Amino acid sequence: MSFHNKPIQFVGHVKIKVEKLERAINFYRDVLGFGILEKTKREVKLTTDGKTSILSLVQPEDIIPKQGRTTGLYHFAILLPTKADLANIVVHLTENNIRFGASDHLVSEAIYLHDPDGNEIEIYIDRSPSEWRWEQGEVAMAVDPLNFEQLLTHVTSEKWKAMPKETVMGHIHLHVSELKKTEVFYVNGLGFDVVNRFGRQALFLSSGKYHHHIGVNTWNGEGAPPPPTNSVGLEHFTLVLGSEEDRRKVVTNIKELGVDVTEVNGTYITFDPSRIKIVLSI
């Protein structure tokens, strides 16, 4: 089953701000293996299938470095199709002296690294949903050590050259200023389900019984401010909804919460309680 196709709603695209566009392109293209779909002086759309973009990089004119203790991006997560893909990129990163961390989340196996601007990236594979453990509506997740010995038995003879074309944006994890209003916005407004509560500091939300399409946490401090709009970090993420009817319903629900939705040339934009920008797409 795919958790990243309609009618399930999912994060389809993430746009990141960087200090030096060419440096960032060199990393995402030459190290990670993204393709370039479109490029201008200050922005590039990256692709894995040559048709659609799941990640964009932009260099604002007055860009400043990433700011700490603010809301915004914790990480965006690239979902690979097979275990061999994860094993192969682990070998590739190691051979290129790229530092990364790793975790076994029970539902998935993941590595973590940073781009040259400090934006955090998760690259992961899902375990079969039949292996996920659900209890009282919540899915069991953990932060266990990744079994590299077992993972590397899946390495193939083909060296890592490019992201597989089936690669998708798996999820996004956000730093937010508080959880109560955030939960109301994402559940009552956007229509997600809470599928895991990680203590009092994090929530994981999904559509269609995925382990999470969106994670939110207060690990940068309750009441954390939004970063300056011209700082390195998240510009926005795009939420893909099932249909125009679904989008109209979401827009109505958001407005009933007292939150604005603006429409410009068919693009619908809103902001969560932490001023994180979201594009509502279909």
Side-chain angles (χ1 to χ4, degrees), residues 145-273:
L146 185 64
N147 186 338
F148 279 102
E149 189 175 349
Q150 196 277 333
L151 175 64
L152 293 175
T153 64
H154 294 265
V155 171
T156 66
S157 58
E158 294 182 20
K159 283 190 173 274
W160 180 271
K161 292 180 181 176
M163 288 273 174
K165 67 178 187 296
E166 302 88 359
T167 302
V168 297
M169 186 62 66
H171 64 266
I172 194 167
H173 196 149
L174 306 166
H175 288 296
V176 297
S177 58
E178 56 80 60
L179 289 185
K180 194 171 182 181
K181 288 179 182 176
T182 300
E183 180 176 346
V184 170
F185 176 83
Y186 281 93
V187 174
N188 297 355
L190 295 183
F192 284 102
D193 300 313
V194 175
V195 290
N196 184 282
R197 295 179 188 273
F198 196 79
R200 297 182 178 180
Q201 295 184 316
L203 288 174
F204 296 90
L205 305 120
S206 84
S207 168
K209 288 290 184 180
Y210 191 47
H211 55 71
H212 67 294
H213 290 102
I214 297 176
V216 295
N217 72 68
T218 55
W219 298 332
N220 271 353
E222 290 208 10
T229 56
N230 60 331
S231 72
V232 163
L234 180 66
E235 205 287 330
H236 72 259
F237 71 89
T238 298
L239 182 63
V240 179
L241 301 167
S243 64
E244 183 61 58
E245 184 180 350
D246 291 336
R247 182 163 64 180
R248 282 198 299 268
K249 183 179 178 182
V250 164
V251 168
T252 298
N253 291 343
I254 291 171
K255 288 181 175 179
E256 285 179 355
L257 295 176
V259 178
D260 289 336
V261 180
T262 58
E263 187 261 321
V264 181
N265 297 326
T267 300
Y268 291 75
I269 297 168
T270 190
F271 291 84
D272 80 359

Side-chain angles (χ1 to χ4, degrees), residues 17 42 92 104 137 148 227 264 272:
K17 292 172 284 184
R42 294 200 170 270
H92 170 72
D104 185 326
F148 279 102
V264 181
D272 80 359

Side-chain angles (χ1 to χ4, degrees), residues 6 8-13 238-242 279-282:
K6 299 176 183 182
I8 288 175
Q9 59 188 46
F10 58 95
V11 177
H13 184 270
T238 298
L239 182 63
V240 179
L241 301 167
V279 173
L280 304 174
S281 180
I282 53 172

